[in-house]
Amino acid sequence: MLLTETEKKRLGKLFNYYRISKGKSIKEIEIEELSAYSTFHYATKGKIIKNDEFYFNYLNYFGINFHRKENFEEWLSDYLIRLVHVFEYYEEDHFDELYQETIQELAPYKDSAIFHEYMHVFEYLFNYYRKNTYMRLEEVNDCLVMIKTDIIEDELKILLLDLMFRSNNDFIGSYELADKIILYIQKFENHPMMKYQLAFYNKYKCYFLKALELFKESLNMFKEQQNYYWQIKCRLSIYGIYRNTDDSLAQEEAEKLLEMKKDLDIPNVLKKNMNYSIGMNNYLNKRYDTAYELFMENIENYQSLNELLFVCSICSHKQMDYPKELCEENINTRYDADYLRYFLMVKKGASDDELVEYIMKCVIPNQLKYQKYFHPFWSLMEYEIEKISLRNTKHKKSYLKFHQKMNKYIKNA
């Protein structure tokens, strides 16, 4: 089989990817004497070596197979145009359709060099967009090598970098990894998605004015594209900065977001994020009616129970009935189960003595001891024990004891 020039360009770059992935040093490559290292290096830059045997020798050296797929380049060129549009505009109705096309086209070649790597890239992307599954650390590091060795197109690099940065921010949590990813993001900083993540990185580093400037720049770019999905993501990020700095500006931004939610056909994932973010800010600022409305929309329409605890707190403040979801069995497996069980006790008519005992002997040692700086949880339980002490003078000492314990934990910290 004679290799085409395009196949040679791809294989040459791929050899560098395999060298790095397998931990092969330049010296080890030279010792094999398959070619002069300068020739190997020349090929890894995508330059063409005329002798086909050069490529087959290195395929054999790295222990990889290669099978030709007819019309691959034509298919990939057309496919990437569609894929980028569907992901950037978050057209979730087309996710499964495009995924099935990927499987149909590439699965028969999954053990072949080039196609094997593309299969991994597409799996990472579709796992996130279809299943909300983040990349693991080793997967992100592998993709950094893919991007460094230039074995995939810029369109895929941008989609991957966006996912890699999100995965690290929401799942992995490595400061060093964020710094590595951002170096590659900066190479595409004129792309609105990359500008957005660069803004997020500045927010992450507490450079809020720079972050705000970049978020606004990316917002304007997405406006030109009429990309409402990313417009809302930008506005939510701008809102996140405002709500910690200027409540009046935050309120203005919240009104724009809620107007967009009402007027536009946007993905449910954005509606949930919007309701939770705006709802939580209203909850923390004691605008309970608005918070309750937004939280309950998520619970009832999108089966999201992240808001359940704060709905229960609002019901306590407003003397309203607790939601039926509080009685569902799966609350016992939740991270906030200790708090929810308290409200379940209230709903079932527990006495003040039982409630105070539960707070002091369960909630404080199991939760608040370790969450002493988390305002929503602490203030939520502080209000509950204060409410008990006001209606039952017997428990005024319990209210003081609550603060003594919490002050002790803070001092020790």
Side-chain angles (χ1 to χ4, degrees), residues 326-327 331 339-350:
L326 181 59
C327 300
I331 69 163
Y339 300 114
L340 288 170
R341 277 194 287 270
Y342 168 84
F343 288 109
L344 190 58
M345 289 172 65
V346 176
K347 182 179 175 68
K348 292 181 177 180

Side-chain angles (χ1 to χ4, degrees), residues 80-113:
L80 287 181
I81 292 171
R82 292 180 284 129
L83 183 80
V84 168
H85 181 84
V86 165
F87 281 166
E88 286 191 359
Y89 285 78
Y90 206 87
E91 295 178 350
E92 50 192 336
D93 292 345
H94 296 291
F95 290 169
D96 286 343
E97 171 192 333
L98 285 175
Y99 177 68
Q100 293 305 322
E101 183 177 343
T102 303
I103 297 300
Q104 180 181 336
E105 290 289 333
L106 298 183
Y109 302 87
K110 64 182 180 180
D111 296 323
S112 169

Side-chain angles (χ1 to χ4, degrees), residues 52-64:
D52 283 20
E53 188 178 356
F54 166 88
Y55 295 96
F56 291 118
N57 285 340
Y58 276 104
L59 283 168
N60 184 59
Y61 170 66
F62 287 117
I64 51 179

